[in-house]
Amino acid sequence: MIKKVWLLLLFAAVSVAGCRSDISYQNRAIDRARSYLLANCGDLSTEEMYFVRYNSPYLLHAPLLGGSSDRSKEKLHSELKQICVAWLIPGRKDLYMVFGVSNGRMSHWYPERMIIRSYNSPEFVVPAAAETARQYAAKNLFKSMDRSDINTVRFTFPALLRTEFELNYDVNGKLSGKEIAALKEKDLKNIQYSLVWKLSEKNLVFAGVAKPGFKNWSVSMADFMTDEELNKNVIRQVLSPAEALEKLPETERKER
């Protein structure tokens, strides 16, 4: 299968508008894909297998070679397509996909083989940032969290928000007022973003600044917050947890 088709598979999220029967077909296909992956992938840890078992995958598609590029609803439902049921497992550098061929409804989709492909791309900003936040949480916060909330952070993606928290530029209390002022002045050219996981009772928030295009983001603040505490510092949502594999919006990629 040529490289161009796999690029389409990796970056084109399936958009099947449908009725309840379509959703039922897709859910059955996903169950078959999940069972196939768990039975045929021996390098996953127990925790990673739990992630596959209990988290929803992404559906990626492309036309069969030589197929029509017509994207009308009728064509989408009737023409055969390459469809991969894919899991982006936290901590893994590869996308784990189960390949099959079906129409857009996935009514006759069955697993044919497993494919593991690198997803590393500057277009994906949330996965790498989320892993940075997870590592920080594992070292500093997990001891004060219950198992359910720890699993939420480890096995789901956060929302990406534009925020305006007051950041601490002198965590160790060693900088002079002039040095702190210089750091704040430097950050005026940057943008503050926060990753937010919704936990059982509060939100876990990781705030930091990045250059335009979400470049060089790092954790400057981490805290548990109520909805009220969080919302009063939110400018807007950039990407929801369900959009973790989507590109950063064009408005966020432009230089300010």
Side-chain angles (χ1 to χ4, degrees):
M1 192 158 297
I2 63 173
K3 184 176 181 180
K4 182 177 180 182
V5 172
W6 284 117
L7 287 174
L8 284 171
L9 273 170
L10 286 173
F11 294 110
V14 76
S15 57
V16 180
C19 59
R20 291 181 181 177
S21 61
D22 294 336
I23 296 173
S24 177
Y25 290 141
Q26 291 167 30
N27 287 339
R28 291 175 188 173
I30 288 169
D31 286 341
R32 290 192 287 267
R34 180 180 284 111
S35 297
Y36 185 90
L37 189 152
L38 293 174
N40 290 278
C41 187
D43 68 335
L44 297 181
S45 68
T46 300
E47 291 180 343
E48 289 170 335
M49 292 175 71
Y50 283 151
F51 178 85
V52 172
R53 191 179 303 277
Y54 297 115
N55 286 272
S56 298
Y58 294 90
L59 300 181
L60 311 175
H61 79 103
L64 286 173
L65 290 178
S68 169
S69 61
D70 188 335
R71 293 293 183 180
S72 69
K73 184 181 295 186
E74 181 179 352
K75 291 287 186 181
L76 185 62
H77 283 144
S78 62
E79 289 189 346
L80 291 180
K81 303 179 184 303
Q82 305 169 82
I83 300 178
C84 281
V85 182
W87 280 268
L88 180 57
I89 302 172
R92 290 276 175 169
K93 296 181 179 180
D94 297 313
L95 197 63
Y96 282 67
M97 302 182 287
V98 180
F99 172 86
V101 175
S102 174
N103 59 19
R105 295 182 189 277
M106 298 184 73
S107 53
H108 294 91
W109 186 96
Y110 287 89
E112 295 187 17
R113 63 180 179 273
M114 194 171 71
I115 300 169
I116 300 175
R117 288 287 186 273
S118 173
Y119 70 86
N120 289 334
S121 167
E123 301 291 352
F124 296 143
V125 299
V126 172
E131 189 58 28
T132 297
R134 287 189 189 102
Q135 292 174 7
Y136 183 98
K139 291 179 180 179
N140 301 285
L141 302 172
F142 279 179
K143 289 182 180 180
S144 63
M145 297 167 59
D146 63 32
R147 182 175 297 275
S148 175
D149 286 343
I150 290 173
N151 286 338
T152 295
V153 174
R154 295 176 72 180
F155 298 132
T156 68
F157 287 111
L160 176 63
L161 310 177
R162 282 281 295 270
T163 53
E164 50 184 3
F165 291 104
E166 185 66 32
L167 301 180
N168 186 355
Y169 289 87
D170 189 16
V171 176
N172 298 315
K174 297 181 179 180
L175 300 181
S176 67
K178 185 176 182 180
E179 289 172 321
I180 294 173
L183 290 173
K184 289 184 177 180
E185 179 67 24
K186 180 181 178 181
D187 273 351
L188 291 176
K189 300 177 182 179
N190 297 325
I191 305 169
Q192 185 183 128
Y193 290 97
S194 291
L195 298 181
V196 179
W197 274 275
K198 183 72 173 177
L199 304 182
S200 56
E201 295 184 0
K202 290 190 174 183
N203 303 284
L204 179 53
V205 181
F206 295 88
V209 296
K211 297 182 182 299
F214 200 73
K215 298 175 182 176
N216 301 323
W217 181 88
S218 61
V219 176
S220 297
M221 181 201 78
D223 203 358
F224 299 96
M225 299 183 188
T226 63
D227 289 343
E228 181 180 1
E229 291 170 329
L230 172 62
N231 291 338
K232 68 182 182 181
N233 290 287
V234 172
I235 298 173
R236 65 175 176 270
Q237 179 171 276
V238 178
L239 293 170
S240 71
E243 297 169 328
L245 276 185
E246 296 196 9
K247 296 179 182 180
L248 196 70
E250 185 65 30
T251 54
E252 301 293 332
R253 285 185 277 161
K254 292 180 179 178
E255 296 288 333
R256 293 201 307 177

